[in-house]
């Protein structure tokens, strides 16, 4: 699910830039004013992907300490590292935030385009 969302953010950015560059009028009037919205959105989408990857890597590190004996005996429960649990929380929420900010850049670009287009 998350890969699909991140891929969608990246495709929207790439398609928007490609569309604007293929039309001379749009490339000269619209692209200069919205270019940085798309660059920021791309960077935030890549950051979101990196943070999701880091989050799942931290989850995998915690799961390495799991013992099958924990199914029937509480004594076998691993002692999870508090630092790793904090990083899981941090990467989880910052990944969500960077994905939302990337999506907001789409709205920023649309508003910017609307404001500069002639009536």
């Amino acid at each position: 699910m998350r890969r699909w969302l991140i891929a969608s953010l990246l495709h929207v950015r790439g398609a928007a830039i490609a569309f604007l560059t293929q039309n001379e009028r749009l490339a000269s009037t619209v692209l200069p004013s919205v270019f940085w919205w798309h660059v920021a959105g791309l960077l935030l989408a890549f950051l979101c992907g990196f943070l999701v990857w880091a989050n799942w890597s931290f989850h995998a590190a915690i799961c390495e300490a799991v013992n099958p004996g924990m199914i029937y005996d509480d004594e076998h429960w691993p002692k999870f590292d508090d630092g790793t649990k904090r990083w899981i929380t941090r990467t989880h929420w910052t990944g969500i935030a960077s994905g939302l900010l990337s999506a907001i850049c789409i709205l920023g670009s649309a508003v910017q385009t609307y404001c500069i287009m002639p009536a």
Side-chain angles (χ1 to χ4, degrees):
M1 178 71 162
R2 290 180 182 177
R3 283 186 282 172
W4 176 81
L5 291 172
I6 295 167
S8 296
L9 289 172
L10 294 172
H11 284 121
V12 166
R13 304 278 176 237
I17 291 173
F19 174 77
L20 291 173
T21 57
Q22 292 181 6
N23 183 309
E24 286 183 35
R25 188 174 73 85
L26 292 176
S28 62
T29 58
V30 176
L31 186 60
S33 64
V34 298
F35 179 76
W36 290 110
W37 280 107
H38 294 295
V39 170
L42 275 170
L43 292 174
L44 287 165
F46 280 123
L47 177 64
C48 179
F50 172 74
L51 290 168
V52 169
W53 169 81
N55 182 267
W56 282 102
S57 297
F58 289 126
H59 276 281
I62 279 185
C63 289
E64 287 176 359
V66 171
N67 182 345
M70 65 190 275
I71 294 172
Y72 58 85
D73 188 5
D74 289 343
E75 295 297 319
H76 292 284
W77 275 87
K79 305 294 185 251
F80 296 125
D81 178 32
D82 285 336
T84 303
K85 288 194 290 187
R86 275 193 301 274
W87 276 107
I88 287 173
T89 302
R90 288 176 184 161
T91 56
H92 174 78
W93 289 111
T94 54
I96 290 172
S98 63
L100 288 173
L101 288 172
S102 179
I104 288 171
C105 286
I106 296 170
L107 180 63
S109 172
V111 169
Q112 182 84 25
T113 302
Y114 179 78
C115 290
I116 66 167
M117 293 298 285

